[in-house]
Amino acid sequence: MATIGDIGLAAAINIITALIFLLAFAVLRLQPFNDRVYFPKWYIRRLRTSPSRSGGVVSKFVNVDLKSYVRFLNWVPDALRMPELELIEHAGLDSAVYLRIYLLGLKIFFPIMFLAWAVLVPVNVTNDTLEKAKDVTFSNIDKLSISNIPLGSQRFWVHIVMAYTFTFWTCYVLKKEYETIQNLRLHFIHSEKRRPDQFTVLVKNVPPDPDESVSELVEHFFLVNHPNHYLTHQVVRNANKLADLVEEKKKQRNWLDYYQLKYSRNQSKRPVTKTGFLGLCGDKVDAIDHYTSNIEKLSEKIAAERKRVMSDPKSIMPAAFVSFKTRWGAAVCAQTQQSKDPTQWITGWAAEPRDVYWPNLAVPYVQLTVKRLMMAVSFFFLTFFFMIPIAMVQSLANIEGIEKRAPFLKPVIEAKVIKSFIQGFLPGIALKIFLILLPTILMMMSKFEGFLSISSLERRSASRYYIFNFVNVFLGSIIAGTAFEQLNTFLKKSANEIPKTIGVAIPMKATFFITYIMVDGWAGIAGEILRLKPLIFYHLKNTFLVKTEKDREKAMDAGSLGFNTGEPQIQFYFLLGLVYAVVTPLLLPFILVFFALAYVVFRHQIINVYNQEYESAAAFWPDVHGRVISALVISQLLLMGLLSTKEAALTTPFLLALPVLTIWFHRYCKGRYEPAFVKFPLQEAMMKDTLERAREPHLNLKGYLQNAYIHPVFKDEDDSDSDDDNGESLEKYEQELVPTKRQSRKNTPVPSKISAGSSPSIPEVTSEYTKL
Amino acid sequence: MATIGDIGLAAAINIITALIFLLAFAVLRLQPFNDRVYFPKWYIRRLRTSPSRSGGVVSKFVNVDLKSYVRFLNWVPDALRMPELELIEHAGLDSAVYLRIYLLGLKIFFPIMFLAWAVLVPVNVTNDTLEKAKDVTFSNIDKLSISNIPLGSQRFWVHIVMAYTFTFWTCYVLKKEYETIQNLRLHFIHSEKRRPDQFTVLVKNVPPDPDESVSELVEHFFLVNHPNHYLTHQVVRNANKLADLVEEKKKQRNWLDYYQLKYSRNQSKRPVTKTGFLGLCGDKVDAIDHYTSNIEKLSEKIAAERKRVMSDPKSIMPAAFVSFKTRWGAAVCAQTQQSKDPTQWITGWAAEPRDVYWPNLAVPYVQLTVKRLMMAVSFFFLTFFFMIPIAMVQSLANIEGIEKRAPFLKPVIEAKVIKSFIQGFLPGIALKIFLILLPTILMMMSKFEGFLSISSLERRSASRYYIFNFVNVFLGSIIAGTAFEQLNTFLKKSANEIPKTIGVAIPMKATFFITYIMVDGWAGIAGEILRLKPLIFYHLKNTFLVKTEKDREKAMDAGSLGFNTGEPQIQFYFLLGLVYAVVTPLLLPFILVFFALAYVVFRHQIINVYNQEYESAAAFWPDVHGRVISALVISQLLLMGLLSTKEAALTTPFLLALPVLTIWFHRYCKGRYEPAFVKFPLQEAMMKDTLERAREPHLNLKGYLQNAYIHPVFKDEDDSDSDDDNGESLEKYEQELVPTKRQSRKNTPVPSKISAGSSPSIPEVTSEYTKL
C-alpha cells in the first residue's frame, strides 16, 4: 500500500518532468530554426513562409531576444484565446469538437469533485474501520475511500445518493454536449461550400455482366433507376500496385537526394553504396549513378503500369463513384436500397476525396463478413493474451513480488526513496511501453476489415483500442495486482464472479491509478507538446536531405490528431473518474489536472501544429458519447459489485435501477441526436440545391465533378517528374476541385486579431502574415 | 423421478385426449349446422353461402350420410393437398409462411433425431454411472441421457461433435429457409396488384405551426421537398372517442336484438330489464323500449361527435398519410430522413389500411421513449414476479411436496395411477392456465408503447411472450423444480452462477418437459382444431341474436392465426428440441410429433377457418429466425454449463467457439436477407411504376388514393344506420378502394380442383361453389 508520501514523491517527480518538458518547449519553440517543427500548420496554410526576422546570421537560427524567454508560459493564453468559430475555420470541425471532449471532462468532473470532497470524504474519513481491522495494512489514502466504511453501515446510502447524483449530472452534461455538437455539425454542413462528396455516392458490388462493362452497367442502372438525378460516374481502378511503385520511387529519390547533397558538400569523393540488403552488403557502386538508374527504371515501370491500369478492363473494380445532379438525388441514393439483392449495388455516401481509403474499395460482401469474423476473433485473442506479459511485469514491479523473487535486492528496495519510486513509477511505464506498439496493429486490423474511409478506420481502431485498454490496463491492473493467480484459472472459472472481484479490488488500486495518471496524463501530455520525435527527424532531414525550400516543406512532419489513439486515452480517464468518483474521491483532482492540461496543450497543437487529414464534420461524436455512457454503466456495475460484499444488500435494487436508466438515456440520445451524424435530411439537401440553382444557374456541375474521385496516383499524370510532390499536387488539386473552407482564409486580407495573437508572440512574424 | 412407465401413462392419457378431440372434430365438422364454425373462411371469401344440400329438414342440421363418418381422418390429406402457391393466394403469404415454421421444425429435428438416436443414445446407454452412484435415484430415461456418462469421460467428445453437427445443420436449414422466404416475399410483393400502401407514407410528428393548419403544412412541406413526386395527403383525426361510441352502440343493439327475438318467440310477455349494473339491480323497465331509446341517444351522440371530429381543428392529429405519384417517390420518402430534427417529420411506410392501429397514430417522440422505458420495466417485473405463483404450484404438484404439506393425502397419492397422473399431468396444466391470461396483457403493453400497425403490435407481443416463456416456463420449471429455495436468494446471488445451475438441472427435467409437450403440444393442438369456444359462442349467438342471414355471418368467429401467441409457442419447442438434442435425445420424437400434428392442424385451420386480418408479406420472419438462433445459442451455453460440471474442462474452448460462430452466422444472415424484409428496393419500385405507366397511362391515381386511409368509423358515414355493420362496410370498402388479391378469386370461375378438394368432402357443396 502506497502512502500519501509515496504519492507525493511520484507527484513531485512527474510535476518536475512535466515542467522540464514545458520549459524545454518554451525555449525550443522560440528558436527560429525550430519554427517549422512547432508551427507547421501556419506554413501548410501558407500563412507563413519563413521565420525571417531582422538581425544577423545568428538570430536566424537562435532567438537572442531574452525578453521573450521570460514569458515562457504565454503560449497558454495564446492557445486559449482563439474563439471556437474561428478555430473551426482554422483547423476544421473535427479538431474543434475533439477539443470539446476535454472540455466535457472538465464539465463533468469539476462539480463531481466538489460534491465528492464536500460529502463523501467527510463520510468516509469519520470511521475507524481500517484502524480497527488489525490484519489489514492501509494508508491515509484508504481512509478517505469507501474502504473505511464498516460492513453493513447505513452510511452506504450516502454513496448510493451520490452515485445517482453523479449519474444524473453526467447524463445532463452529455445531453447538452450532444445537442451542441449536433448543432455545430448541422451548421457546419449547412454553411459548407460546394464539395464533390455532397453530390456523390459510392456504389459497391456492381454485379458482373457478360455483355456490358462496369462503366456501361453503372450508367444504365442509374439512368433507369434515378432518371431525373443521375449525372455522371467514375469507375474505380485497382491502382494499388501503381501506388506501391510510386512509393518506392519516392524512397529511391530520397536516397538520391541524400547522396547528391553529400557529394555537393564534399566534392572530393563520389559517394558509394552497396547494392545488397540495406546497403550493408553486396557490390560497391557509385551511389548517385545507382539511384539515378533505379529511379529511371522505376519511372518506366510506373509509366507501363499506369498505362495498363488505364486500359486493362481487369483493373476496373466492380465499384464506382456515382454523381448526381442535385444533393437531393445523392441523398436519396445514398440512403436507400437499390437492388432486390442487398449484396449488390450497395450504395453509401462517398467519403470526402481526402478521406477515401482506396485499397479497400472492392471487397465482396461474403468476404467482408468473413474478414469481420476473423478480425473479431483475432482481436479477442490479442486482447486476452496480451494481458499475460503486462501482468507479469506488474507483478514484478510490486515490492513484495521483487522481494520474493530476488531476496538479495531487499535492502536496496526497502530504502524509502527507491521503494516509492518503484511503486509510483514503474508500473505506469511498463504499461505505457506495451501500449505504444498497439495502435499500429489495430489500424492494420481495421484496414483488413475493409473500411472505406480513413475516418471510419480510425473510429474502428479507437473503439478497439478502448476495449483493449479497458481489459488490459483497467481490469488487468486491478486483477493482476490483487490476484495474479486468478489469471491462470481464468478460463475454468465461471466468468461471472469477476465483477465482484473487481469491485472489491478497486479501492485498493486507487494509488496505482493516481501514479498512472501522473505518468501518462501529466508528463505524457507535457511531452506531447515538446514534439521530440518530429524535432529530431526534422533536423536530421534538414541536414541530410533538404536542398530547396520545397524539400524543407516536405521535411516538416506536422502530424495530425490521431483520433484512434488520442480518444481512447481520454476515454480511459473518463472511466477512471467515473469509477473512482464514489469509491475514492481523492483521484478526481488528478484527473481534472489532466483534462485541463491536455485541453490547453492540444488546443495549442491544433492551432499551431497538426495538419488535418480529413474532415468528417465530427462524425465521431456518437462513439465518444457511447463510450462515456459505457464507462458510466461499468462504474455502476462495479459499485454494485463492491457494495454487495459490504453487506449492504438492501442497496442493490437501488443500484440496479441506475444502469437501466443510463442505458435508456443512451437509447433516447441515440434516437434523438444520432441521425444528425449518420443521415442527411432531404429538406436540407433541397434547400441547398434551390439556393445554388438560384445563385449559379449556369453552373457546369459535370465538369466540376468529372475528376473529383480519381485515385491520387493519377492526379499528377502530366508532370511525371513530380510523382513524389504530393504536397503541391494535393494543394493544386484542392484549389481546382475541392474549394473547402480552408482556402478561403488565403484571400481574406486580415485574419482576426485574436487568431493572430494565438500564433507565437514574435511581432515580426505576426505582422508579416497579417500583411499578406 | 418419473419412470418410463409414468411417461407411458401420460402419453396414453394425452394420446387418448387428442384422439377424443379429433374424433369429436370429425363428427362435428360434418354437421351442416356447424358448417359456419368449421369452414368460416369459405363463407368470408364468398365461396360458400350456406351449407345447403339435398335432403329433409333433419339433414339440414345433422349429417345423416353415414359413409362420411367412416373416413373421419380424411381432412388430413385434404389439408395437405393444396399446393403452397395456391395457399398463398387463398390465405395470404403470412399464413403460408407461418406454416413453414412448423415445416422448419420438421426439417431441423428429423435428421437430428436420427443422428442422436444412432450415435448419442448408444454412447449414453453403455455406461453404468447412475447404477453405481447409490445415493441418486434415477429412471430408465436418465440412462439414455448424458447423466449416465461418468465424470471426466472421453465420451463427452462425442457430445461436442454432435453439438457441432446439430448447430451446422440447424444453421444450414435456417439459411435455406431464410432464402426461400425472402424469395417468396419478393415474388409476392412483385406480383401484388396496386395497393394504397405502395404509394403512401405515414408522416408523424408534424411540428406545430401558428400560421398554417396541419393539412396545409404537410402539403407545403412535401411540395417543397418532394416536388416531382408528391400527390396528395390525408390528415389523421382523433376518432378514438367516436370509435368507442360506435362500439357501445353495437353492444346495445345486440341486447335489443336479443330481447326482440325473445319477444317474437314469446309474444305473451314484453321482456323487462333492470337499468342498474349488468341488469342486476335498479328500476325495472321494458327492455325493448329501453334499448331502443339508448340506441337513439347514442346515434345522436355519434352524429354530434362525428361532426365535431370532422370540423374541430383540435381533433386533427399532427400526423398524415402522404401519397405519392409513384412507388419510387414513396419508397424514397419512407426510407429517408426529412427534417434536420429527427423527432419531426418522421416518415415511414404506411401499413396496409387493414393493418393500421389507429389509436396510436400521434404519440410524440419523447413520450414514446418514456413509454418504452415504462413498459420495459413493467415487463421485467411481470416476468420475474409472475414466476413466484408458478413455482408454488409446481412445488405443490410434486409428490414429495404434497406429502410434506398434506401428509394425510399420502395413501391416496401413493396409489400408482394417481401418482403417475399427478406427475405426468398436473404441472403442465398449471402452467398452461397461467399462460392463457398472458397474451392479452402483453398485447395491451405493446399498444401502450405506441406501435402503429397491428402486425408490429403482434410481433412485439410475440417476442415478449417468448422471453416470458423462456424465463418462466423454461428456467422457472428447471430452477424451481430442483431448487425452489434458490428463488428466494435470487436477487442476492451473483446472477451468474445460474447457467451452470441450469445446465446441471436440465437432464433431470427431461421428463417434465416430455409431459409438457404432450399436454400442450399434442392434446392442446388437437383441441385447437375442435374450436370449442367458437363452437359454443356461435350456437349461443345463433340461438339468441341471429335474425337474418347477415346476423349469422356476424355470429361466425373465424378468428385468425394469432401470431403473438402461436409463434412463441412453436419457438418454445425449438428451444426444448435444441437444448435436449444433445442432453436427452429421448425428447426429440415427442417434439417431432408436435411439429407434424401442428402442421397438419394449422394447415387445415388456415385453409378452412382463419380469416386473415392483415397481410404483412411475412415481415415476421426475421423475428422467427432470430429466436431460433437465440435458442441455439442458449442450448450451447447450457451445454457448456453442464459439461463444466462434468470435469470435462478441455471441451470448454471447443464449445466456446460455437456461440461465436452462431452469432456470426446470425449477423451474416441479417445483412444478407433482412433488408428484403425492412427495405424496399428502388429498382423494384421503378420497375412497377414503369410497367404501370405503360399499361394504364390515364390512371386516376389521386382518386384511387383519396380515401384509402380514412378511419374505419368514417367509412360508412352515409348510411348512419349500419354503424355496426362492419363486415359489409369493410367488404364494400375493399371492393371500392383496396382491390387486394383476395377479391380476384370471386371473378375467376373455376377454383382449382385441388383447392376444392381441400374443402370438406361434401360433394354438393363443392360442386355448388365450383359452379359459381
Side-chain angles (χ1 to χ4, degrees), chain A residues 225 328 342 496 672 682-683, chain B residues 225 328 337-338 342 496 672:
Chain A
N225 292 305
W328 193 94
N496 308 311
R672 176 68 188 79
L682 294 187
Q683 191 182 19
Chain B
N225 293 304
W328 193 94
Q337 189 184 334
Q338 308 307 312
N496 309 313
R672 177 68 188 77

Side-chain angles (χ1 to χ4, degrees), chain A residues 279-344:
Chain A
L280 293 177
C281 52
D283 301 330
K284 272 193 180 176
V285 290
D286 183 290
I288 294 177
D289 293 350
H290 174 65
Y291 285 109
T292 313
S293 78
N294 268 4
I295 288 170
E296 266 166 31
K297 270 184 235 159
L298 275 170
S299 292
E300 278 164 30
K301 265 195 198 171
I302 287 170
E305 174 68 12
R306 174 169 283 153
K307 212 169 157 188
R308 193 191 66 77
V309 170
M310 293 309 287
S311 58
D312 186 3
K314 273 183 198 154
S315 75
I316 294 179
M317 300 200 274
F321 289 97
V322 178
S323 296
F324 291 82
K325 283 179 199 154
T326 55
R327 292 174 182 84
W328 193 94
V332 161
C333 182
Q335 297 177 74
T336 50
Q337 189 185 335
Q338 308 307 312
S339 149
K340 261 193 211 182
D341 184 343
T343 64
Q344 288 180 352

Side-chain angles (χ1 to χ4, degrees), chain B residues 608-677:
Chain B
N608 295 307
V609 181
Y610 296 146
N611 180 29
Q612 198 188 5
E613 279 185 353
Y614 57 83
E615 176 63 66
S616 71
F620 56 78
W621 192 261
D623 288 22
V624 173
H625 178 89
R627 282 199 269 278
V628 177
I629 292 278
S630 72
L632 200 55
V633 172
I634 289 164
S635 78
Q636 292 156 354
L637 292 178
L638 293 185
L639 184 64
M640 211 150 71
L642 175 60
L643 285 190
S644 69
T645 62
K646 294 281 186 184
E647 294 176 15
L650 266 175
T651 58
T652 309
F654 289 88
L655 281 175
L656 262 174
L658 267 185
V660 173
L661 286 174
T662 311
I663 290 166
W664 172 78
F665 167 78
H666 178 57
R667 294 188 58 166
Y668 167 78
C669 283
K670 205 177 159 71
R672 177 68 188 77
Y673 300 113
E674 204 180 282
F677 293 85

Side-chain angles (χ1 to χ4, degrees), chain B residues 1 10 103 141 192 209 375 446 524 541 576 609 744 746 758:
Chain B
M1 290 290 142
L103 269 188
I141 293 165
E192 257 176 343
D209 190 294
M375 282 304 103
S446 307
K541 281 186 188 168
L576 286 182
V609 181
S744 68
K746 271 194 189 168
S758 71

Side-chain angles (χ1 to χ4, degrees), chain A residues 338-402:
Chain A
Q338 308 307 312
S339 149
K340 261 193 211 182
D341 184 343
T343 64
Q344 288 180 352
W345 297 105
I346 303 172
T347 52
W349 278 112
E352 210 198 351
R354 288 185 285 176
D355 191 15
V356 174
Y357 185 71
W358 295 91
N360 275 348
L361 277 184
V363 186
Y365 183 79
V366 176
Q367 203 180 323
L368 214 71
T369 52
V370 173
K371 279 180 162 185
R372 295 251 156 106
L373 174 68
M374 280 167 66
M375 282 304 104
V377 172
S378 328
F379 177 65
F380 175 83
F381 281 97
L382 179 73
T383 308
F384 282 92
F385 286 83
F386 202 60
M387 206 160 169
I388 294 166
I390 287 197
M392 276 165 59
V393 170
Q394 293 227 325
S395 70
L396 275 179
N398 125 357
I399 295 287
E400 291 78 24
I402 295 178

Side-chain angles (χ1 to χ4, degrees), chain A residues 639-654:
Chain A
L639 185 64
M640 211 150 70
L642 175 60
L643 285 190
S644 69
T645 63
K646 295 279 186 186
E647 295 176 14
L650 266 176
T651 58
T652 309
F654 289 90

Side-chain angles (χ1 to χ4, degrees), chain A residues 544-598:
Chain A
F544 294 115
L545 295 177
V546 169
K547 283 179 300 187
T548 64
E549 203 55 31
K550 215 177 75 187
D551 291 344
R552 186 162 293 124
E553 196 116 305
K554 276 166 52 194
M556 282 191 324
D557 176 19
S560 62
L561 256 181
F563 181 81
N564 56 330
T565 53
E567 196 264 353
Q569 192 203 24
I570 317 175
Q571 289 290 350
F572 193 70
Y573 290 94
F574 277 105
L575 178 69
L576 286 182
L578 289 170
V579 166
Y580 278 101
V582 177
V583 175
T584 312
L586 186 72
L587 200 101
L588 292 174
F590 293 88
I591 284 180
L592 271 174
V593 169
F594 160 77
F595 277 118
L597 182 65

